[in-house]
Amino acid sequence: MNRHLLRAEDTEFVGLLRACSRAKDLRAGVRLHAELLKEGIPEISFLVQDALVQMYVKCGAVLKAYELLVGLRVKNTTSWNNVIAAFIGCGQCPEALDCFDQLKRQGVPANSVTFSCALKACARIRAVSKGEQIHDEIAIQGLLGCSIILGAALVDMYAKCGSLIMAEQVLKSLPNRNVITWTALVSGFALHGHGHDALRCFELMLHEGLSPDAVTFVGVLKACGNIKAAAKGERFHDEIIRKGLLRGNNVLLAALIDMYVKCGCLMKAWDILEENPDSDVFCWTSLIEGYVEQGLSEEALECFKLMKQKGVSPTTVTFASVLKACGSIGAVESGEQIHEEISRQGLLLDDFVLGSALVDMYVKCGALLKAKKARDQLPVHDLVSWTTLIAGYAQQGQNQEALNCFKQMEHFDVSPNEVTFTCILNACSHSGLVEEGEMYFTLMYTNYGIKPVLEHYACMVDLYGRAGLFNLAISFVSKIPFDDYMAVWRSVLKACEKRKDVTIGRWAFEHALQIHNGDAALYDLMSNIYRSAGMQENMESIEAVRAESKSWEKMVSF
DNA sequence: TCACGGAATC
């Protein structure tokens, strides 16, 4: 068994292969590999084997490395680890996990490196059950006591998958943890929108005497954005500056700008972006998104222009944001320009999300023909693009078209979801198609298994209300299997705001008031409806009524 | 060979 012997030519090969890895010279590496095979050595030593696999990995030929490894009669842990890590590195996580399974089937022992790689793959693709299974194996082998890295990978896996209670439990049970372990947990809470928990864990970390690094700050800034804690975010900002962490760290810079944007402090975000030469497309997109969010679409488009002037190239996310801006101010010409830019770059070929954003832009501009044309040109007609089109027809009052579209969609075997039904019920309501509406409402559950939610009930109330069937509307509400009837009325009112419908709005408002006098949100909603319809005076009178009811409430409470 | 980080569509 000469593979266990280290021969002179082995050392030489290893040296040469390592040189190829360093130089990323695949051709030279392949030549060496061929030479090795020509020598007719029946079994190459582990040392040469590892060097070969690593050469292919380092030269970016992951598949080649994998094939080589599979073809070897005897495999070792390190070679597998290399290939698994390489698959993860190029985003092929299912392949990485498949390698992990193969390694176990072949009886090659997994070590802590193998496990942390496998956990990382699970985290990336949110494969929590596979992760749990790996957790069990690790526990059986008692590996958590010896590797702090493995502990962090485990916490991270649970956190990314959204099993946050488990993530925290695991963290607390670890014999060793450091700032990275804690950051995995903090970031997980922030990632899933639990800003308060993220900050709570951050405090716990400080309590253990650990000090945050740049990555920790990214997590807590995201948490502040989640809960709109601008003051707290500002304190983190100061600390980041004091520690000099911002220099050369684009990710942290973008997180900082995004925090201010999410808190609504657009000026502050703008100032930071402006004064920082490192501002990249993430920073710009965040700000543009912020403008769109606040209804400042003109500013968003200005910002987009400026960004391009500065030589920063937009991504699909940037394009989706500016399309939204065009839609909300009906800027169809700008939208068309952007459409052209997107097409030129071939971005519509593999990004369905962007395609739907484009259709939605035309829909919101009221350009239904253009919307339909843009949609027809998309490579795949997925659920979202169908639904966008249906929503478009419904919004423009072309309700028969909307219903036709639904039938076509079924014809093409695309299954509707709950959003599709909201649009359909909306279209029925607009056309006064009471019976059709009732039919679709039933169909939704019986044919498609979709349980009606708040929006659907609200659509039905709206449908009856618009048809003048007020008694039916009210008895419908009383039958809704919800604790919170008010939520349905609020939803009806929100819909009225969207389409500037004062009549139904007023009716719903008065009814809801009768049921629950003290709900302050109702006044806001009614006032918003008046605002959307441009009825300033009525808006003020609603504010006045609310003020009165407030003082009345005060009296009662004394 | 291994652990924590950035924007988003109805």
Side-chain angles (χ1 to χ4, degrees), chain A residues 112-409:
Chain A
S112 71
V113 179
T114 325
F115 284 122
S116 38
C117 287
L119 286 170
K120 186 179 186 158
C122 294
R124 282 263 180 97
I125 58 171
R126 313 287 190 255
V128 71
S129 14
K130 181 81 188 162
E132 278 167 350
Q133 187 194 318
I134 295 169
H135 184 182
D136 288 340
E137 292 173 45
I138 294 168
I140 290 167
Q141 299 190 28
L143 283 172
L144 283 175
C146 25
S147 169
I148 197 165
I149 293 178
L150 189 54
L154 188 61
V155 171
D156 185 54
M157 184 279 295
Y158 280 118
K160 284 230 172 64
C161 293
S163 303
L164 293 157
I165 294 175
M166 194 59 189
E168 189 167 351
Q169 247 175 39
V170 169
L171 178 140
K172 290 189 171 156
S173 73
L174 289 175
N176 310 301
R177 50 181 175 251
N178 59 13
V179 59
I180 295 177
T181 327
W182 276 107
T183 303
L185 185 64
V186 169
S187 310
F189 274 119
L191 177 70
H192 291 95
H194 302 286
H196 291 291
D197 283 307
L199 295 174
R200 172 179 62 80
C201 289
F202 177 73
E203 292 296 326
L204 289 174
M205 182 190 93
L206 296 183
H207 231 81
E208 288 193 356
L210 295 165
S211 106
D213 65 11
V215 184
T216 322
F217 280 115
V218 172
V220 288
L221 286 172
K222 195 184 177 82
C224 293
N226 275 339
I227 56 172
K228 304 200 188 307
K232 193 148 194 115
E234 214 163 348
R235 282 204 294 279
F236 286 132
H237 183 182
D238 291 340
E239 210 174 325
I240 288 163
I241 298 293
R242 220 177 27 246
K243 292 188 166 184
L245 292 172
L246 212 49
R247 206 148 290 286
N249 191 335
N250 278 18
V251 178
L252 187 55
L253 178 64
L256 187 63
I257 290 175
D258 192 53
M259 180 276 292
Y260 282 118
V261 166
K262 292 270 157 55
C263 292
C265 313
L266 296 185
M267 301 277 258
K268 187 87 187 160
W270 168 252
D271 287 344
I272 298 170
L273 184 143
E274 174 80 316
E275 72 193 22
N276 213 309
D278 295 335
S279 292
D280 62 8
V281 65
F282 284 92
C283 302
W284 283 96
T285 307
S286 241
L287 191 63
I288 290 172
E289 181 60 33
Y291 283 126
V292 177
E293 191 65 30
Q294 308 251 325
L296 302 166
S297 298
E298 307 276 3
E299 284 81 350
L301 293 177
E302 269 313 302
C303 200
F304 180 61
K305 239 194 249 163
L306 211 61
M307 172 188 117
K308 287 197 292 184
Q309 272 170 26
K310 299 245 180 194
V312 177
S313 302
T315 65
T316 55
V317 179
T318 326
F319 281 126
S321 286
V322 284
L323 284 173
K324 200 170 168 189
C326 294
S328 60
I329 51 171
V332 73
E333 294 85 11
S334 305
E336 278 177 311
Q337 265 174 34
I338 291 158
H339 183 174
E340 218 173 89
E341 215 176 321
I342 294 169
S343 301
R344 245 199 332 267
Q345 296 186 29
L347 295 174
L348 291 172
L349 296 176
D350 48 26
D351 195 310
F352 305 162
V353 171
L354 191 58
S356 296
L358 186 67
V359 177
D360 190 52
M361 180 276 293
Y362 284 121
V363 160
K364 295 268 160 57
C365 291
L368 264 305
L369 282 176
K370 284 178 179 158
K372 178 128 186 7
K373 196 171 157 217
R375 217 263 337 200
D376 289 343
Q377 285 168 354
L378 295 180
V380 176
H381 295 169
D382 70 337
L383 169 69
V384 180
S385 72
W386 276 109
T387 303
T388 309
L389 204 57
I390 292 172
Y393 285 124
Q395 275 161 31
Q396 300 296 318
Q398 302 188 30
N399 303 305
Q400 212 50 56
E401 278 300 322
L403 297 179
N404 283 340
C405 210
F406 179 74
K407 285 177 192 139
Q408 273 183 50
M409 171 180 167

Side-chain angles (χ1 to χ4, degrees), chain A residues 405-423:
Chain A
C405 210
F406 179 74
K407 285 177 192 139
Q408 273 183 50
M409 171 180 167
E410 280 197 295
H411 181 255
F412 285 107
D413 263 350
V414 178
S415 288
N417 69 1
E418 62 282 355
V419 181
T420 321
F421 276 104
T422 310
C423 300

